[in-house]
Amino acid sequence: MTLSVCMIVKNEERVLGRCLACAAQIADELIVVDTGSTDRSAEIARQYTPHVYLHQWQDSFAEARNYSYSLATCDYIMWLDADDVIDEENLSKFNDLKKRCLADVDVIFTIYNMFTEDGITNYTLRDRIIRRSLDAKWEYDIHEGIPMQPEWKYLYRTDITIQHKKEYVNDPGRNMGIFNKILRDAKPMSDFEKSNYCKELSLAGRDEEAYRVFSEIKPTASSSTYYYAMNFLVTSLLRLKRYDDCIREISESEERFPMTAYLKYIQGICYSALGRNSDAKECWLCAMTIPEDPTTLFIQNTGYTDYFPMLRLAELAAMERDSGKASEYVERAAALYPEHHAWRDTRITVLLLT
């Protein structure tokens, strides 16, 4: 198995060298497409590969990705972003993977660790490597993806992990600017694109608009698209203090798709905000029975199947003057994520309440 690693970059001089140093250890061919940098990105890239190309930005990540893929010549193609990092353990796993016979594999999924703080992580599976002969095409101008075809054969997942280690926001208005252009051009958006638009609206604090867009995709969205939007919608509904709506949306999602610990935890937060502590307790206990499922394409949030529900249950126990149960929950949580700050704050709350 030979591997072309393809990247598109723009003004990434602060992190690009870090990523390329990793990529150079697994790539038989390293391709960097610069879409208009005004910093030293292209110069840095040339320190790692002769395959650096300048390409005019056309307000479409899919177009740029497809151009980068058109330059590849190896058996398989892998994508990376400039702020991705691969540690030594996972570099070794990549090189072991390349040595295996993969003649019957078209697409390889790896774990994408998108955020980690004090041991708390969110991650998902991503289609990371694809056979070049499939001539696969990226779609969507923003939050682009390669639609999977039923005739492709998958190695559904490996335990290889890539960390998306964002150090700064390069162009804060870029994503919303692309969506605004799509709307100005009256270009139809798929459910997938609308789910990402819902995300961007929520991140921008445009919460009522996020709810409106979610309502548009709700009847027809696939499970992964639905859950992706839901992870951001609930934040908007909490900010709007629309707790009943949030409870209802989560309940209705449970009627269609498997429940996640994160959403059940949020449902408990809503019940608690409404003073319905017994319902909140039921939700948090339920969340603790729902394991993470890293074999799905849903976003996984660690800590919501144990740590965070325990802390909320500790607070409820303290309010009921059950200091023993409250302390037990806090200590169990502390043992799970000793570096995280929340259990210390809860311990103080418990002491004050009891």
Side-chain angles (χ1 to χ4, degrees):
M1 170 185 179
T2 59
L3 183 65
S4 298
V5 175
C6 294
M7 301 177 60
I8 58 173
V9 305
K10 183 178 180 180
N11 293 333
E12 297 285 5
E13 66 177 2
R14 285 177 282 180
V15 294
L16 183 57
R18 181 185 68 185
C19 180
L20 291 172
C22 301
Q25 297 183 57
I26 58 174
D28 299 289
E29 178 180 60
L30 181 52
I31 294 169
V32 178
V33 172
D34 189 297
T35 61
S37 295
T38 56
D39 65 3
R40 297 178 53 252
S41 292
E43 178 184 341
I44 292 169
R46 291 189 183 98
Q47 296 174 16
Y48 293 88
T49 176
H51 305 294
V52 179
Y53 303 86
L54 303 182
H55 183 67
Q56 184 175 356
W57 176 243
Q58 299 181 34
D59 289 325
S60 172
F61 282 88
E63 189 280 332
R65 295 262 190 218
N66 284 329
Y67 176 70
S68 73
Y69 273 34
S70 74
L71 302 167
T73 63
C74 291
D75 300 331
Y76 287 83
I77 307 174
M78 171 178 165
W79 64 272
L80 281 175
D81 286 337
D83 43 12
D84 289 344
V85 178
I86 311 172
D87 63 23
E88 290 299 325
E89 177 184 358
N90 286 286
L91 287 171
S92 177
K93 290 179 179 179
F94 263 118
N95 284 316
D96 288 343
L97 178 69
K98 289 177 60 183
K99 295 174 185 176
R100 300 178 201 165
C101 179
L102 299 176
D104 61 343
V105 173
D106 286 334
V107 183
I108 299 171
F109 288 78
T110 65
I111 298 169
Y112 204 17
N113 181 341
M114 297 175 289
F115 169 82
T116 298
E117 180 183 36
D118 298 334
I120 301 296
T121 297
N122 71 12
Y123 63 95
T124 189
L125 277 180
R126 285 299 305 267
D127 43 327
R128 181 65 65 168
I129 301 173
I130 194 162
R131 187 191 299 277
R132 182 172 63 88
S133 61
L134 296 177
D135 195 28
K137 300 299 182 186
W138 292 82
E139 295 184 5
Y140 316 119
D141 293 334
I142 183 71
H143 298 298
E144 68 284 9
I146 297 176
M148 296 292 105
Q149 303 302 315
E151 65 270 20
W152 294 352
K153 297 175 234 141
Y154 307 145
L155 171 62
Y156 186 62
R157 86 174 278 259
T158 72
D159 63 354
I160 297 172
T161 299
I162 296 172
Q163 184 175 2
H164 188 60
K165 195 172 182 181
K166 186 173 285 295
E167 300 291 341
Y168 59 94
V169 179
N170 193 344
D171 184 357
R174 178 196 63 189
N175 291 358
M176 191 60 75
I178 293 175
F179 277 119
N180 288 338
K181 184 177 185 298
I182 291 172
L183 293 170
R184 285 196 307 271
D185 295 342
K187 183 178 178 181
M189 280 196 280
S190 66
D191 285 347
F192 176 84
E193 290 170 294
K194 286 182 179 179
S195 73
N196 281 289
Y197 188 36
C198 177
K199 166 191 172 181
E200 295 298 333
L201 289 168
S202 180
L203 291 176
R206 295 164 59 179
D207 299 317
E208 292 286 3
E209 293 173 85
Y211 196 15
R212 175 185 57 78
V213 172
F214 176 80
S215 298
E216 292 176 7
I217 68 171
K218 182 179 173 181
T220 56
S222 67
S223 58
S224 57
T225 297
Y226 187 96
Y227 273 123
Y228 187 79
M230 277 287 287
N231 270 273
F232 298 97
L233 173 71
V234 294
T235 300
S236 285
L237 292 176
L238 288 174
R239 278 199 298 258
L240 292 168
K241 298 184 178 180
R242 295 178 64 169
Y243 304 120
D244 285 317
D245 286 331
C246 194
I247 291 168
R248 177 176 51 78
E249 292 294 349
I250 294 172
S251 294
E252 290 181 3
S253 75
E254 192 170 9
E255 294 173 3
R256 296 175 58 190
F257 306 115
M259 180 50 56
T260 67
Y262 174 70
L263 291 180
K264 185 56 71 173
Y265 171 82
I266 294 297
Q267 193 173 44
I269 292 293
C270 293
Y271 279 125
S272 178
L274 294 170
R276 296 169 59 178
N277 287 342
S278 61
D279 290 323
K281 181 177 181 179
E282 183 178 340
C283 286
W284 293 329
L285 288 171
C286 180
M288 292 169 62
T289 69
I290 303 172
E292 295 174 44
D293 186 359
T295 66
T296 75
L297 298 178
F298 305 154
I299 293 175
Q300 301 293 310
N301 300 278
T302 63
Y304 290 94
T305 191
D306 42 33
Y307 179 71
F308 290 113
M310 285 179 188
L311 296 182
R312 301 291 77 78
L313 289 167
E315 291 173 350
L316 283 184
M319 291 169 63
E320 296 167 354
R321 298 296 188 266
D322 189 342
S323 59
K325 178 61 72 174
S327 296
E328 177 189 341
Y329 276 128
V330 171
E331 297 313 311
R332 286 172 62 189
L336 290 168
Y337 294 98
E339 300 302 316
H340 198 264
H341 62 86
W343 67 265
R344 297 180 178 87
D345 298 337
T346 303
R347 176 185 278 171
I348 293 170
T349 300
V350 165
L351 290 173
L352 291 173
L353 288 173
T354 57

